[in-house]
Amino acid sequence: MASRQSPLCGLAPHCLWLLGVVLLTDVSARPANHSSARERAANREQNEILPPDHLNGVKLEMDGHLNKDFHQEVFLGKDVDGFEEDAEPRRSRRKLMVIFSKVDVNTDRRISAKEMQRWIMEKTAEHFQEAVKENRVHFRAVDPDGDGRVSWDEYKVKFLASKGHDEREVAEAVRNNAELKVDEETQEVLENLKDRWYQADNPPADLLLTEDEFLSFLHPEHSRGMLKFMVKEIVRDLDQDGDKQLSLPEFISLPVGTVENQQGQDVDDNWVRDRKREFEELIDSNHDGIVTPEELENYMDPMNEYNALNEAKQMIAIADENQNHHLEPEEVLKYSEFFTGSKLMDYARNVHEEF
């Protein structure tokens, strides 16, 4: 990311734009594990009591994949409406310029790294507030007696019911300590969830989660202890030599899906390239070729102000064609796909009337 800045210096504007599009449209992970933000929203209600793989504003997914929507999430926050594929371009341009004006606190028609850092922290806080609101609804769904505490057994019943099991039969089996007939995959998920349940259960441990503890269970980014647990799980899944830290080969060598054609191979190569860049430029803070759990935790902490400033500088570098370390309206419109996920054409002709 940051290293993209210097190669752009000597290019003509048209070539620079093409290079930027290539770099930005490839920001990614393996398609088999990455649904779009809209697909995730459509599936949210169905899986509302299962901790989500995707956490808004967090750099890595729960399964260790890069969050390909991260920059859009921390630039738009909840303000994603209006940038859909079928949205009217003129209206989207105007909305993007409204956002630009909000980020540009000193109204000099330029966004500095400090202004972008402040905006990123503000949008991250929005995601936190949204998670708290959703958690309140989900907690009520798993707290049938309304006593303000949910037992592991209560949660297990609701979870299995959401997976198609008969809720009454499961509840009766749990009451009688009878063996539950579930497939091997579901049993493994239950065991992992119970581990997380223990971690979210603040002392004194009683296997009963309050609403706040349930929030930590569903959204570990809200809790320092749970963030450590999430990092520990990711390291465990990626660590091949058992030294409890990650080398570059370990970080870029997640199992590859079946590649049926050259296009699939290109996607896979891009995935490796993006993870390599992320490892070397952002996660490995002391550049010793090894990522410790502490480095990974700092990288994943959504409320880390130092990280937010680094992200702000890199987001600016992506579109900073005149190399003045600021973003101007023309640049944000030109690189709209990076900031919003939508291509907004005719940026040069429309920038003055839209701003």
Side-chain angles (χ1 to χ4, degrees):
M1 293 180 181
S3 63
R4 297 177 192 172
Q5 187 169 344
S6 55
L8 297 180
C9 296
L11 296 178
H14 181 66
C15 294
L16 189 150
W17 178 77
L18 288 175
L19 176 61
V21 169
V22 170
L23 289 173
L24 298 177
T25 53
D26 281 341
V27 173
S28 63
R30 297 173 194 258
N33 274 336
H34 278 271
S35 57
S36 69
R38 294 177 181 85
E39 288 171 337
R40 287 195 293 263
N43 292 329
R44 184 180 301 157
E45 184 175 352
Q46 178 183 350
N47 300 310
E48 63 180 13
I49 66 170
L50 181 66
D53 173 60
H54 175 80
L55 302 171
N56 287 327
V58 179
K59 295 298 295 285
L60 287 185
E61 308 283 14
M62 294 290 288
D63 59 6
H65 288 70
L66 297 180
N67 174 9
K68 66 185 180 68
D69 296 322
F70 175 78
H71 295 108
Q72 295 160 29
E73 291 167 358
V74 296
F75 185 76
L76 296 177
K78 298 185 298 180
D79 214 11
V80 295
D81 293 337
F83 297 105
E84 298 86 355
E85 291 181 7
D86 57 350
E88 202 277 309
R90 183 183 178 88
R91 184 177 301 174
S92 296
R93 287 194 297 267
R94 285 182 172 174
K95 185 165 187 176
L96 182 54
M97 289 298 95
V98 168
I99 294 174
F100 183 101
S101 299
K102 291 178 180 178
V103 185
D104 179 24
V105 177
N106 65 4
T107 65
D108 64 351
R109 289 173 59 90
R110 302 190 311 168
I111 294 175
S112 67
K114 278 291 185 181
E115 286 173 324
M116 185 67 85
Q117 177 197 33
R118 179 198 64 84
W119 184 255
I120 288 173
M121 297 298 292
E122 186 177 312
K123 296 298 105 178
T124 301
E126 277 187 14
H127 289 305
F128 270 48
Q129 293 160 9
E130 189 67 19
V132 171
K133 286 171 57 179
E134 290 181 356
N135 180 72
R136 190 170 296 121
V137 174
H138 300 164
F139 184 77
R140 290 171 184 164
V142 296
D143 181 26
D145 54 16
D147 65 353
R149 284 176 167 76
V150 177
S151 71
W152 166 249
D153 284 344
E154 285 176 321
Y155 176 80
K156 182 164 60 174
V157 169
K158 291 293 184 181
F159 168 74
L160 290 174
S162 75
K163 295 298 182 183
H165 294 265
D166 185 277
E167 185 169 344
R168 291 184 180 180
E169 290 181 4
V170 173
E172 184 177 354
V174 169
R175 276 195 304 270
N176 297 327
N177 291 320
E179 182 179 353
L180 293 170
K181 296 180 179 180
V182 297
D183 58 76
E184 186 176 340
E185 182 180 350
T186 301
Q187 184 60 41
E188 184 178 350
V189 171
L190 276 172
E191 291 171 0
N192 290 335
L193 288 175
K194 191 169 185 179
D195 285 343
R196 182 186 289 206
W197 192 274
Y198 272 100
Q199 292 294 323
D201 185 17
N202 292 326
D206 55 8
L207 281 185
L208 298 173
L209 298 193
T210 64
E211 187 173 320
D212 286 342
E213 290 169 336
F214 194 71
L215 175 64
S216 296
F217 173 72
L218 289 182
H219 288 274
E221 77 276 21
H222 285 245
S223 160
R224 175 60 62 183
M226 288 299 290
L227 187 61
K228 288 180 181 293
F229 179 70
M230 181 166 63
V231 166
K232 183 179 178 180
E233 287 191 314
I234 290 175
V235 171
R236 179 200 64 196
D237 290 343
L238 303 185
D239 178 23
Q240 297 175 10
D241 60 12
D243 63 356
K244 298 184 179 179
Q245 52 190 7
L246 299 178
S247 64
L248 176 60
E250 287 172 332
F251 190 71
I252 66 175
S253 63
L254 288 180
V256 182
T258 301
V259 177
E260 297 180 351
N261 51 43
Q262 184 58 46
Q263 183 179 4
Q265 183 63 57
D266 290 343
V267 169
D268 209 57
D269 290 344
N270 292 337
W271 184 91
V272 171
R273 181 205 64 197
D274 291 334
R275 288 183 74 87
K276 184 176 187 290
R277 183 189 301 119
E278 201 79 4
F279 183 100
E280 294 176 339
E281 297 180 11
L282 291 177
I283 310 177
D284 182 16
S285 57
N286 64 359
H287 306 293
D288 65 352
I290 294 294
V291 164
T292 65
E294 291 75 19
E295 286 177 316
L296 190 58
E297 182 181 337
N298 287 333
Y299 165 79
M300 293 183 64
D301 182 1
M303 297 306 291
N304 185 316
E305 293 188 10
Y306 177 75
N307 282 356
L309 182 58
N310 278 340
E311 289 297 337
K313 291 176 180 177
Q314 292 186 49
M315 289 172 71
I316 288 173
I318 286 293
D320 183 21
E321 292 191 350
N322 62 12
Q323 301 294 299
N324 67 352
H325 306 293
H326 289 73
L327 285 181
E328 293 163 5
E330 293 88 347
E331 292 170 331
V332 172
L333 283 169
K334 195 169 188 177
Y335 287 84
S336 61
E337 189 168 14
F338 176 72
F339 294 104
T340 71
S342 299
K343 290 182 180 179
L344 306 179
M345 306 307 289
D346 300 326
Y347 52 85
R349 181 168 60 84
N350 290 287
V351 64
H352 296 294
E353 66 177 88
E354 305 294 3
F355 192 79

